[in-house]
């Protein structure tokens, strides 16, 4: 999965969400950003998303940037990682979990060129949130003004992102990253990854629901088919009810209408009659098998309940480890 899942600062509490810890200060490491620039950047991003139907990869890009966060690290920013734009640098962009994301950064470069005052971190997170909303998902109460990491020395170590399936030795995760995520069970592994970020079980399940949006590729995550009947270039539905063939064929989706953001993930994974070409990974099925995850997975069969929890979890994920400047 490598955060194709789910894939966060919240307290790891079973009772819900708490406000993420963020840093607020003026700094010389980022240009000042105006609301006019943010509005302009959003307009450009919206056009890119509508033209290229690339929302899913933008979600993955933003999540892989923010998902490196370790809430136990108390050293000066940006030591704890998170939504700081460091994914644009080598070596982070070349971590195994980030295969294919250099292309997403390239797609967004014109936005940075036209609006240099908007940080890469903001651009990545904006593209993710807008991708979800334009695909029919919830409106996310985003905060902007993030400060960018300034160089590769500020990249997080490899190994902080989640796996969807066990490795050759039968274990999920590994000893790399800022803390070991190795576990014999998918549920245990997911908790080690997301609790390290500061997220609770509800957030883990809610964020996993974003699998309703997009595809897995064998040459990126090691999972999925070369193509399926749903991703072979034939028409697929959009959130407004229309159809499009304007996408790059390939990969395996979790749901049939993989360019629509809804709660169909939570009604598809447990349905034994669904098409065999749809993905049902161990990290997906564990959401119903684990006694603490299961109540949320069942609850999110209701779209409104899912959207409410998802919007909170996404906002928290997007602010992990971020330092914010005031918007002018």
């Amino acid at each position: 999965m490598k955060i194709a899942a789910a894939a966060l600062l919240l307290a790891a509490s079973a009772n819900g969400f708490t406000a993420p810890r963020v840093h607020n200060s003026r700094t010389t490491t980022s240009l000042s950003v105006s609301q006019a620039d943010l509005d302009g950047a959003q307009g450009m991003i919206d056009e890119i998303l509508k033209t290229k139907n690339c929302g899913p990869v933008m979600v993955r890009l933003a999540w892989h940037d923010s998902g490196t966060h370790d809430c136990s690290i108390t050293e000066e920013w940006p030591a704890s990682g998170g939504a700081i734009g460091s994914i644009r640098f080598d070596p982070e962009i070349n971590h195994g979990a980030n295969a294919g994301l250099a292309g997403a950064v390239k797609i967004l470069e014109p936005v940075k060129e036209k609006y240099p005052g908007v940080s890469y971190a903001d651009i990545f997170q904006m593209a993710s949130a807008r991708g979800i909303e334009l695909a029919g998902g919830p409106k996310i109460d985003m905060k902007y003004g993030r400060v960018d990491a300034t160089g590769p020395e500020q990249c997080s170590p490899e190994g902080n992102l989640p796996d969807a399936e066990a490795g050759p030795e039968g274990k999920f995760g590994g000893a790399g990253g800022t803390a070991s995520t190795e576990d014999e069970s998918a549920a245990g592994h997911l908790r080690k990854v997301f609790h390290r970020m500061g997220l609770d079980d509800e957030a883990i399940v809610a964020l996993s629901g974003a699998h309703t949006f997009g595809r897995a590729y064998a040459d990126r995550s090691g999972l999925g088919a070369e193509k399926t009947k749903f991703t072979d270039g034939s028409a697929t539905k959009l959130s407004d009810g229309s159809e499009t063939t304007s996408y790059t064929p390939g990969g395996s989706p979790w749901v049939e209408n993989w360019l629509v953001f809804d709660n169909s993930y939570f009604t598809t994974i447990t349905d034994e009659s669904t098409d065999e070409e749809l993905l049902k990974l161990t990290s997906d099925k564990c959401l119903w098998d684990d006694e603490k995850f299961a109540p949320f997975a069942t609850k999110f069969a209701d779209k409104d309940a899912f959207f409410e929890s998802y919007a909170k979890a996404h906002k928290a994920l997007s602010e992990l480890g971020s330092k914010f400047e005031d918007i002018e």
Side-chain angles (χ1 to χ4, degrees):
M1 147 167 99
K2 304 296 186 192
I3 265 191
L8 286 108
L9 192 55
L10 287 179
S13 159
N15 295 322
F17 301 98
T18 59
R21 182 183 69 191
V22 296
H23 309 268
N24 291 276
S25 67
R26 299 296 293 180
T27 174
T28 58
T29 62
S30 178
L31 299 172
S32 297
V33 61
S34 68
Q35 187 60 53
D37 281 352
L38 288 168
D39 292 343
Q42 179 174 306
M44 283 191 70
I45 286 170
D46 284 2
E47 187 61 28
I48 290 169
L49 292 167
K50 292 173 183 177
T51 301
K52 296 182 176 294
N53 288 313
C54 59
V57 74
M58 296 306 169
V59 174
R60 182 169 172 251
L61 173 66
W63 286 20
H64 282 220
D65 192 39
S66 58
T68 60
H69 182 66
D70 188 330
C71 65
S72 71
I73 295 176
T74 58
E75 284 84 354
E76 184 178 357
W77 181 91
S80 65
I84 61 175
S86 60
I87 197 171
R88 71 192 193 277
F89 293 120
D90 182 27
E92 191 170 337
I93 193 62
N94 290 315
H95 288 173
N98 294 333
L101 290 179
V105 174
K106 184 177 181 179
I107 289 172
L108 293 172
E109 283 290 355
V111 182
K112 180 64 175 176
E113 291 172 5
K114 186 166 184 178
Y115 299 100
V118 182
S119 66
Y120 280 102
D122 272 356
I123 290 169
F124 298 160
Q125 298 303 324
M126 181 182 288
S128 173
R130 293 300 296 163
I132 286 168
E133 186 173 350
L134 292 174
K139 182 175 178 58
I140 300 163
D141 181 24
M142 295 293 287
K143 179 177 181 179
Y144 294 112
R146 291 171 185 79
V147 177
D148 274 334
T150 57
E153 70 281 358
Q154 295 176 333
C155 290
S156 293
E158 186 166 13
N160 275 3
L161 301 177
D163 291 337
E165 297 290 353
E169 297 182 357
K171 294 183 179 181
F172 295 81
T178 57
S180 174
T181 64
E182 189 174 78
D183 201 279
E184 294 183 355
S185 74
H189 167 62
L190 290 178
R191 286 194 173 93
K192 288 179 179 179
V193 171
F194 289 98
H195 288 184
R196 185 209 71 237
M197 299 180 203
L199 294 179
D200 63 11
D201 284 359
E202 180 177 359
I204 293 172
V205 180
L207 290 168
S208 295
H211 275 146
T212 196
F213 193 42
R215 302 165 279 177
Y217 297 84
D219 62 348
R220 299 179 188 179
S221 64
L223 304 167
E226 181 179 351
K227 63 181 178 180
T228 70
K229 64 172 64 72
F230 306 107
T231 61
D232 59 2
S234 56
T236 189
K237 288 185 179 180
L238 298 175
S239 62
D240 62 3
S242 64
E243 295 185 336
T244 185
T245 57
S246 181
Y247 66 88
T248 302
S252 296
W254 283 259
V255 302
E256 292 185 13
N257 299 322
W258 50 272
L259 280 176
V260 177
F261 193 98
D262 57 20
N263 69 323
S264 57
Y265 171 83
F266 293 103
T267 60
T268 299
I269 298 298
T270 56
D271 184 351
E272 295 182 358
S273 68
T274 53
D275 193 284
E276 63 182 10
E277 289 192 289
L278 298 177
L279 286 175
K280 294 184 180 182
L281 305 174
T282 303
S283 55
D284 300 316
K285 292 181 283 189
C286 81
L287 302 180
W288 284 264
D289 295 337
D290 181 87
E291 64 178 5
K292 293 182 179 179
F293 286 157
F296 298 114
T298 302
K299 176 182 177 181
F300 295 155
D302 178 85
K303 181 178 174 180
D304 290 341
F306 169 53
F307 275 21
E308 180 179 0
S309 289
Y310 180 83
K312 293 176 182 178
H314 185 116
K315 175 178 172 61
L317 171 63
S318 76
E319 296 178 9
L320 293 181
S322 296
K323 177 188 284 188
F324 288 92
E325 289 189 327
D326 294 334
I327 297 172
E328 298 179 349

